Amino acid sequence: MEVKGVKGVKGVKDVSSTAGDIQVKEVKGVKGVKDDSLAAGNIQPDTSRTAVAEGHITPLSSLTSKQAELASFKYTDQRFADIQLLRYRVKDFETLTPRQRILVYYLSEAALAGRDILWDQNGRYNLRIRRLLETVYVYYDGNRQSDDFKALETYLKRVWFSNGIHHHYSTDKLQPAFSPTFLRTAAASVKDKLTLDAEELFPVIFDPAVMPKRVNQNEDDDLLATSASNYYGEGVGQAEAEDFYAKQKAAAADQSRPVMYGMNSRLVKENGTLKERVWHSGGLYGAAIDRIIHWLEKAKGVAENDGQAAVIDKLVEFYRTGDLHTFDEYTILWVNDTEGDVDFTNGFTEVYGDPLGLKASWEGFSNFKDKEATTRTEKLSANAQWFEDHSPVDPRFRKPECRGVTAKVIVAAMLGGDLYPSSAIGINLPNSNWVRAEHGSKSVTIGNLTEAYNEAARQNGFLDEFVVDEPTLALVRRYGDACDDLHTDLHECLGHGSGRLLDGVDPDALKAYGSCIEEARADLFALYYIADAKLVSLGLVPDGEAYKSQYYTYMMNGLMTQLVRIEPGAVIEEAHMRNRALIARWVLARAASNSASTTPAVALVSRDNKSYVQINDYEALRSLFAELLAEVQRIKSEGDYAAAANLVETYGVSIDARLHQEVRQRYAALDIAPYKGFINPEYEPVYDSDGNITDVSISYGEAYDHQMLRYSRDYATLPLIND
């Protein structure tokens, strides 16, 4: 895609030179591709799995039926290592007005423009390593069929997928299967294309002891000294960082409305003194932020209404100043902007990548409302106060008034930053507790991503292997997809927005355990209410049996099947995985202790030397979810760090080695990749004779390697070193 009107913008380099002269040699057969590119030998397409889905360029002039479109769309693409790539269908894009399509295009460009920020946040060597690997991949003229080159190709694809050299989920460093000698020789052969010292990168790539973990959560370690993420400078320790931000909070003029301290900065040590380097225009990451601003200002010019334009304007102000009070003003405007169909998020959002849970990774996302599917989430948000009032938690921890709760199902139009290629399927923002309490929140379920996951999983044998018996299997197949979506709706729309902190409780009191506890709280809220008769009366589930499919698959995942994502001998570290394990294992243990003379509500059983989850009493299981929800909400509301640590460390971390080995062996026999992510669609503006954009078309055929190389060319906004 040609980038128009960027050259000359403050802080923005000519896109033709920012990628170090890496040229995207496009794959024959993909829209807009040169026919002679393969002859150059610079990109070898994956010939075993075609990257081009026939009929995937959708003309604006003709609409196919939903059934025909679903039948023809190719959701699965290539697979490598532990990754299955998917494509998502931007359904109903053609039904938007031309102005809305242009708005989506501008917001999508803004969602891609910050790509380098995330790469640098994930590790200070990532941009240099990406440049080295891509240069070898494109220009190496040796034997491209050798085992070493094939291994480099797979490693590069994994690095792209993880936005750096650490696994996107486990955060362990990726181990290359090619030799240092091969890379050294290959780098030397393309040295005229390289503008960096490759040798200094070799220990970072090859030595397992150097930066082994992007996010370390081991409570016995200094989490900053042992984490490779780039949110803190050299020599900054955990205790002094925590003390630095504790003092900022204590000195705040308004203790009831605290900003999210540290959210948009790197904490460094200069001459022995701690100092924040703020991410803003003119500051750290300024060149990338200026490019984002450029596209946001374009979007403002075609905004759907004045409220949406004001949101964009305030976000631009925040990007220019880095002021966290301005950020709060922006989030309030964004929460209240509910009139338009098109929406977006763009900025420093989630804190999972910071071991202290303070600093936010950059992400970008453009979307529009799925009007038909949104009717179900609107029923939930309209009844938010009822759900809050009937929650099984201590009344002291309930919200007396639920304000501004909005929920919708959306169609993802573009994924960027920390939402790409691996993406969430539901989002609830903002993360500021006081903004949520006073102004409400927006919750979304990303319908076309769940559609892609569901369509790709049809008939893969997973349920047949791990579900305990035929009646339960029939239950899951009948209700599973619908209840999965509903659990996401409840989790995002109501779960995260429920409850309140007691006066004077620090929102960051749970420290490194905060993310896990928050996800557990939202999951438990959803699990408790998905079994409630209220959902039947609202028409959200067909009958009182549907919830059982969610209870079964949740327990199966928390106790067993999520373990396929963890290497032998490792522990659980990712917050969402810890949350699921915590819930399932606590409930399993509680059920056993409550059933000295009766059958437990849930148990792990063995049949034909295979382990299965067996639920004996679904109503009793719901009571256990309610009991744990009450305790988790208490921990959150009171800021009980000791209780949070005990709960997570007792139930959410360790793994039974025998069960782990069994689950991995059974899963391996199914030949299913444990992780999935997405290739983005491609948007192309349509210009009139005067060079004005009049419309935008969409296509889905771009190959994964081509997309990544194009992004490295067109969105390379930062220098290789950002200190």
Side-chain angles (χ1 to χ4, degrees), residues 7-155:
K7 189 174 180 180
V9 177
K10 178 185 175 185
V12 177
K13 302 176 182 178
D14 183 350
V15 297
S16 65
S17 63
T18 54
D21 298 324
I22 292 177
Q23 302 298 315
V24 180
K25 303 296 184 180
E26 306 188 55
V27 181
K28 187 175 182 180
V30 180
K31 185 176 184 291
V33 173
K34 301 175 183 178
D35 286 338
D36 61 352
S37 57
L38 287 181
N42 288 327
I43 286 184
Q44 301 300 316
D46 184 344
T47 55
S48 63
R49 298 176 181 86
T50 179
V52 183
E54 294 297 331
H56 278 193
I57 297 174
T58 307
L60 298 178
S61 58
S62 63
L63 297 177
T64 61
S65 71
K66 181 179 292 186
Q67 293 80 6
E69 194 169 357
L70 277 170
S72 65
F73 194 87
K74 186 175 182 290
Y75 289 93
T76 58
D77 203 85
Q78 66 174 277
R79 177 179 168 182
F80 53 88
D82 56 356
I83 305 296
Q84 173 68 63
L85 289 173
L86 307 177
R87 297 182 188 271
Y88 59 95
R89 184 174 65 99
V90 187
K91 70 169 193 172
D92 297 332
F93 180 72
E94 300 81 5
T95 67
L96 300 177
T97 67
R99 183 184 178 96
Q100 287 174 317
R101 288 194 287 266
I102 294 169
L103 175 60
V104 167
Y105 168 69
Y106 287 147
L107 292 174
S108 296
E109 288 296 301
L112 296 172
R115 179 180 186 241
D116 278 1
I117 296 176
L118 177 69
W119 278 76
D120 196 71
Q121 288 177 321
N122 281 347
R124 64 180 180 272
Y125 293 101
N126 281 336
L127 291 173
R128 280 172 277 178
I129 291 172
R130 188 183 77 191
R131 173 71 62 81
L132 169 63
L133 296 173
E134 288 179 342
T135 303
V136 170
Y137 182 63
V138 171
Y139 293 108
Y140 179 66
D141 60 2
N143 182 4
R144 300 174 71 92
Q145 301 303 316
S146 69
D147 290 343
D148 274 325
F149 187 84
K150 291 293 187 182
L152 180 138
E153 180 179 29
T154 298
Y155 179 73

Side-chain angles (χ1 to χ4, degrees), residues 91 158 226 241 347 360 376 389 424 496 545 640 679:
K91 70 169 193 172
R158 298 183 76 189
T226 55
R376 75 169 191 262
D389 292 344
H496 280 307
E545 293 290 297
D640 189 341
I679 301 173

Side-chain angles (χ1 to χ4, degrees), residues 315-330:
L315 177 57
V316 167
E317 181 184 342
F318 165 68
Y319 270 140
R320 286 187 169 136
T321 65
D323 183 86
L324 290 172
H325 294 285
T326 302
F327 179 77
D328 285 346
E329 293 170 2
Y330 150 70

Side-chain angles (χ1 to χ4, degrees), residues 155-311:
Y155 179 73
L156 175 56
K157 288 178 178 180
R158 298 183 76 189
V159 170
W160 279 332
F161 194 90
S162 296
N163 295 294
I165 63 170
H166 295 86
H167 194 278
H168 74 286
Y169 212 79
S170 72
T171 78
D172 293 326
K173 189 162 75 172
L174 301 170
Q175 296 301 311
F178 53 91
S179 69
T181 299
F182 167 76
L183 182 58
R184 190 172 282 112
T185 301
S189 74
V190 297
K191 62 182 180 181
D192 59 321
K193 301 292 185 181
L194 281 173
T195 56
L196 53 81
D197 178 10
E199 195 61 36
E200 68 174 332
L201 304 178
F202 276 67
V204 183
I205 296 172
F206 291 102
D207 189 341
V210 176
M211 297 184 167
K213 195 86 175 171
R214 177 165 57 84
V215 184
N216 181 29
Q217 293 287 292
N218 187 338
E219 62 174 347
D220 297 326
D221 295 335
D222 183 310
L223 300 184
L224 301 191
T226 55
S227 295
S229 57
N230 197 20
Y231 294 111
Y232 301 89
E234 294 276 1
V236 178
Q238 178 180 349
E240 60 185 331
E242 290 175 340
D243 182 64
F244 179 86
Y245 288 112
K247 289 177 178 176
Q248 282 194 354
K249 294 173 184 177
D254 189 349
Q255 295 286 327
S256 64
R257 295 180 177 87
V259 298
M260 298 180 70
Y261 293 98
M263 181 197 79
N264 65 327
S265 68
R266 183 188 299 161
L267 185 64
V268 301
K269 189 176 287 187
E270 295 183 358
N271 299 318
T273 301
L274 291 177
K275 178 181 178 181
E276 287 186 296
R277 297 200 61 200
V278 179
W279 309 324
H280 66 97
S281 177
L284 192 58
Y285 301 147
I289 289 170
D290 286 335
R291 181 77 66 87
I292 296 167
I293 290 173
H294 168 80
W295 290 111
L296 289 176
E297 289 182 327
K298 291 274 192 181
K300 178 186 171 184
V302 291
E304 294 177 281
N305 51 61
D306 291 343
Q308 192 177 69
V311 170

Side-chain angles (χ1 to χ4, degrees), residues 417-623:
D418 216 4
L419 290 172
Y420 168 82
S422 178
S423 178
I425 57 173
I427 298 171
N428 178 274
L429 293 171
N431 288 325
S432 169
N433 282 285
W434 78 262
V435 173
R436 297 163 71 92
E438 295 187 19
H439 300 277
S441 63
K442 276 186 186 177
S443 302
V444 300
T445 298
I446 312 176
N448 59 331
L449 297 192
T450 58
E451 173 190 89
Y453 281 125
N454 292 339
E455 292 299 322
R458 302 290 183 211
Q459 305 301 319
N460 63 10
F462 172 77
L463 293 176
D464 302 84
E465 175 60 36
F466 287 101
V467 174
V468 65
D469 54 36
E470 283 300 324
T472 307
L473 183 60
L475 190 77
V476 172
R477 283 182 170 152
R478 179 178 180 185
Y479 299 113
D481 287 355
C483 282
D484 284 347
D485 288 345
L486 188 54
H487 182 272
T488 302
D489 296 340
L490 287 163
H491 175 110
E492 299 294 349
C493 173
L494 301 179
H496 280 307
S498 67
R500 68 185 186 94
L501 299 181
L502 295 184
D503 293 343
V505 172
D506 182 352
D508 300 314
L510 303 184
K511 300 181 182 180
Y513 298 107
S515 294
C516 177
I517 291 296
E518 176 57 24
E519 294 304 323
R521 193 176 69 89
D523 261 3
L524 286 162
F525 192 98
L527 288 166
Y528 177 74
Y529 274 117
I530 201 168
D532 201 283
K534 181 74 170 179
L535 299 191
V536 179
S537 69
L538 290 174
L540 295 173
V541 292
D543 54 50
E545 293 290 297
Y547 79 94
K548 294 179 181 179
S549 70
Q550 184 64 203
Y551 275 23
Y552 190 86
T553 54
Y554 192 94
M555 292 297 296
M556 181 180 73
N557 191 29
L559 292 173
M560 294 179 57
T561 54
Q562 72 169 358
L563 298 179
V564 302
R565 296 181 164 192
I566 300 175
E567 292 299 315
V571 298
I572 304 173
E573 296 197 66
E574 198 277 332
H576 297 81
M577 292 183 74
R578 283 186 166 189
N579 139 53
R580 291 188 289 267
L582 182 162
I583 292 172
R585 292 171 178 179
W586 185 96
V587 165
L588 183 71
R590 197 68 153 193
S593 66
N594 288 351
S595 61
S597 59
T598 59
T599 303
V602 59
L604 275 176
V605 299
S606 179
R607 294 185 180 177
D608 299 323
N609 296 316
K610 292 183 178 181
S611 300
Y612 297 93
V613 171
Q614 181 168 295
I615 299 178
N616 301 304
D617 189 332
Y618 283 91
E619 291 184 6
L621 182 56
R622 188 190 186 208
S623 296

